[in-house]
Amino acid sequence: MDYTPLWISVKVAVTATVFTFFLGLAAARLVLSLGKWKGVVDGLFSLPMVLPPTVVGFFLLLLFGRNSVLGKFLERCGTTVIFTWQGAVIAAVTVAFPIMYRTARGALEQVDVNLIHAARTLGMSEVRIFFRILLPVARPGIMAAVILAFARALGEFGATIMIAGNIPGRTQTMSVAVYTAMQSGNRELAFRWVAVIMLISFVSMFLMNYTVERNRRRLWRMWNKKDRGGA
């Protein structure tokens, strides 16, 4: 069994998760600071989550294709993302971004606003409030968002095959390998890749649940200590 699709999938998913982490946090912070345009921007950021992956891949092809403005610019620079593992990263970032954004936003919204008001009263800047208060308090939820984004990036298929193709040893991820194996009638190989994907997905979900449960227990201990102190 050739494990190249596994290494390509992990490389793509890890790289995509790094980009998604920063983009998702920035987007969540931006939306929380918006006023009347909040709903419109939130809808745009969440759109890839409800669109079929092939539609997402279609738009990525329009954006990065050789006939597009961006595609021609990349060609002049001597590079391209079509049919490359970098294209697979772009596809994974696009489909995983809404999950990271919405989960991180939910975690940031759960932070007690009294902490933010107290920090502003003490003269802290919005940047310091974000990094010194919002992120530490919302850390468990953000970690869960990272795990979910990684799992989504790892299992991406539709947008990936549209923009990165199915080149063995270069762009063939595990999800694409399952499709290829079934197309060629090799059900045994397809079942093997399905088992690997299910195992990694299960571990990812276990880590997410563990993170959330550990945070719940930590908060429970903090409240108990507070109650005993008050008593």
Side-chain angles (χ1 to χ4, degrees):
M1 183 175 174
D2 182 14
Y3 289 97
T4 305
L6 172 60
W7 311 132
I8 294 175
S9 295
V10 172
K11 179 173 67 171
V12 168
V14 170
T15 307
T17 302
V18 172
F19 282 104
T20 305
F21 172 76
F22 291 105
L23 291 174
L25 276 182
R29 185 68 185 90
L30 172 65
V31 170
L32 288 177
S33 64
L34 291 178
K36 67 176 184 177
W37 295 105
K38 183 176 182 179
V40 176
V41 177
D42 176 75
L44 290 175
F45 285 160
S46 304
L47 193 59
M49 187 167 59
V50 297
L51 287 176
T54 49
V55 175
V56 175
F58 172 77
F59 282 115
L60 290 177
L61 276 177
L62 291 181
L63 182 62
F64 292 98
R66 293 184 176 180
N67 294 324
S68 67
V69 175
L70 183 56
K72 291 178 180 178
F73 173 76
L74 291 174
E75 261 195 344
R76 292 194 191 99
C77 296
T79 184
T80 182
V81 298
I82 303 298
F83 301 126
T84 65
W85 77 272
Q86 290 89 346
V89 170
I90 293 174
V93 168
T94 304
V95 298
F97 166 79
I99 297 176
M100 179 69 205
Y101 154 67
R102 295 198 67 85
T103 310
R105 177 187 165 187
L108 293 175
E109 287 177 333
Q110 295 301 314
V111 177
D112 190 351
V113 293
N114 292 322
L115 295 175
I116 300 174
H117 295 329
R120 287 172 178 164
T121 302
L122 294 173
M124 291 181 66
S125 65
E126 293 299 321
V127 175
R128 289 194 65 192
I129 291 174
F130 181 71
F131 286 102
R132 299 293 296 273
I133 296 177
L134 285 175
L135 284 186
V137 175
R139 182 180 59 183
I142 293 174
M143 289 302 299
V146 171
I147 295 170
L148 286 175
F150 172 79
R152 181 65 185 89
L154 189 73
E156 167 51 30
F157 170 76
T160 300
I161 203 170
M162 291 281 287
I163 190 173
N166 181 14
I167 306 174
R170 289 181 56 190
T171 64
Q172 188 182 76
T173 60
M174 289 188 293
S175 299
V176 178
V178 172
Y179 171 80
T180 303
M182 288 301 296
Q183 287 291 100
S184 62
N186 193 343
R187 294 172 63 88
E188 181 181 352
L189 181 60
F191 278 126
R192 289 180 182 178
W193 282 123
V194 167
V196 174
I197 294 172
M198 290 183 64
L199 176 61
I200 297 176
S201 299
F202 174 79
V203 172
S204 300
M205 296 304 297
F206 173 81
L207 289 175
M208 185 195 71
N209 292 330
Y210 174 77
T211 301
V212 173
E213 180 64 19
R214 186 176 65 173
N215 180 61
R216 187 187 67 81
R217 292 178 179 177
R218 181 176 66 86
L219 292 176
W220 179 257
R221 288 195 297 267
M222 289 176 58
W223 278 111
N224 282 341
K225 289 181 180 179
K226 183 179 179 181
D227 290 342
R228 285 197 296 268

